[in-house]
Amino acid sequence: MLVKNLCLVTFITSTLTECSLQLPSTDFVEQQLQSYFIDYKRNSKTGQDFCLYLNANKNKTKDISNWFIKYNSRCLSLILSEEGIETQDFPQNDATFIFLQEIEDVENSIKLLHKYHFWNSKGENHFILCTEVNNTQFLPLWFSFIWKKHLIQFVFVLVDVDVEIFIYNPFAENAIVNLRHNPDYYDVSFLNKLTNLFGYRLRVALYEYDPLLIKVNGTWHGKDFKMLKLIAQAMNATVDIIEAVNATHPYIETFMNIINDKADFCLNSIFVASTLWLNVVDYTYPHAYNKLVILMPVTSDDTTDTHSDNLISIFTYMVWILIIVLVIITAAVLTFAKKATWNSFSGSLIYSLGCLIGYSFYGFKSQRHSVQFQLITFILGATILRTIFTSFLVGTFLSPSISNRITTIEELRKTDIEIYISRELALIVPKEFSINDKLIVVSMEERTRRLYEMDTRFGYAVTQKIAQRFLSWLKEHVTSMPFYIIEEPLMQGFDIYIFQKHSPFVAEINLFLMRERSSRLVKQNERYQHVFRTNYTESGRRVVLALHHLHSVFYMLTGGLSLSFFVFIIELLNNHD
């Protein structure tokens, strides 16, 4: 472990213990600070394995800091300087002791601590003023400054008439509390202040992202907003929503609001494939896995399919085989019956095919067993199949041409279709796919508008959740799906929420997200009660005739034919007797 201009002090000898350590002869301030640390170590229930010391080598702090380090010999100690560090191997520390010559040293000390990745702002932070203080009126101003630097877990120790120990809770009614006269101050100094915010107003950035998070008539809808309400309720907080006003690039505006301290965090699920570019903000653990996929139109203007091709594609090859087998069997039965009109196999085959597409049966009054067998064969077979065939035959001339579905990015690259994509997603598309020439960068609002207008001239690059939500909506509004998802994704990723750098809320909301994931209070597959901005209706679009349009008549036909077949069997048995 290499450290530049740092002094790593590790004491492993057992001879120096609390019992054998004697207080040196020092002035009043040092004696009071030493007594604070002795009492704290004796009563603290939290162990410390790695401690940081800042400003330990200055004139007015050298003596007391050296004493602290020796007394805290069982903890790995690191004395920080204003120089950089060449190693990244340090874990996050448990406690930080910041020694101050003057109160003005607070600002530079916090700025220096922010440079160290291993400094734990959410751990124990002790600000120790090493000079005697006669007036504490400066405390509210500096405590507020420390809080604005996202440091909330700290105590401020100074010496007036006696040693004074202050804590600061910006959420409580009494923000500044002196714990010196509290016998349990060792236990309450670093309690989690985020479990109850006492109605504190959280500034939360949101922007519309159809169909996952939308605003209709002043009311927000979506999974992320429901998550926000649960977080506010759990933390006893009030929410001020900072809404992005730039409809073209709301994501960039939200990102800048967080960096410029206009919002505490953003609760839009943001899809990322890597966190390397998020070095200027903090972020939660991934709360959901996601993918970047392409919604492809089922129809295409440049398709060369004909209506004859569509006619063949009505049924699968197995259904066509069964139809052919049925026709051949029926023709063979008719040939075996040796009817006068249809006395050849070819003639019976033509007659059977005619019956399949609607030609009426002959010989209904005949009592011959061959004709009865024909009726049994056709009454529940050919008639029902004929109805299905006719429905799809009519439907194929009303439906648009169907193009072959693309399943891989390689197949997409060979087509001429262009892809609408938002600027934020375009930046992370892998160049290895070589589809950048097909990408048309538009705003999220423009992409969403075209998608809900069913513009099938283009494909759309969206996250998997948006694609699945859109297809679920389509199933409830159209009879045939005009879009499908290409099976091969552009990239794998995950969804996160972003926060201000060193935000104290990250750890608490991370815990909440883990609890929510186990309890499933916000379901991943939650339906959004059909709330969408678009006023889409089915009128004006071509409707493909399918079975569900005729199901009532088809059920009546099936019931009647079944009843007729039952009567026929009874008559057949009675005549046989």
Side-chain angles (χ1 to χ4, degrees), residues 74-121:
R74 294 181 181 178
C75 175
L76 179 65
S77 301
L78 186 64
I79 301 177
L80 301 178
S81 71
E82 297 183 0
E83 301 296 333
I85 294 181
E86 295 179 351
T87 180
Q88 301 291 323
D89 296 333
F90 289 116
Q92 281 203 317
N93 67 303
D94 302 307
T96 304
F97 298 90
I98 304 105
F99 301 98
L100 307 172
Q101 294 187 113
E102 305 291 342
I103 187 62
E104 290 77 11
D105 293 342
V106 170
E107 182 175 359
N108 291 332
S109 299
I110 296 178
K111 186 182 299 184
L112 180 61
L113 286 173
H114 280 155
K115 295 181 180 180
Y116 297 101
H117 71 280
F118 49 81
W119 172 58
N120 183 10
S121 61

Side-chain angles (χ1 to χ4, degrees), residues 197 203 340 347 353 393 533:
L197 301 189
R203 302 169 301 167
L353 183 61
L393 184 63
R533 285 192 303 179

Side-chain angles (χ1 to χ4, degrees), residues 319-370:
V319 175
W320 279 115
I321 292 176
L322 294 176
I323 292 175
I324 294 172
V325 170
L326 176 62
V327 172
I328 293 176
I329 292 177
T330 305
V333 172
L334 294 177
T335 303
F336 179 75
K338 297 181 179 179
K339 301 298 296 181
T341 307
W342 307 97
N343 54 4
S344 63
F345 179 78
S346 58
S348 300
L349 187 63
I350 295 174
Y351 168 74
S352 301
L353 183 61
C355 292
L356 184 66
I357 61 176
Y359 190 78
S360 61
F361 300 115
Y362 71 87
F364 272 85
K365 298 181 179 180
S366 175
Q367 301 296 319
R368 298 184 58 181
H369 290 289
S370 60

Side-chain angles (χ1 to χ4, degrees), residues 143-152 168 170-171 200 504:
F143 283 179
S144 177
F145 173 81
I146 295 174
W147 159 241
K148 290 180 180 179
K149 296 299 182 180
H150 309 303
L151 186 57
I152 188 173
Y168 181 69
F171 314 119
Y200 180 82

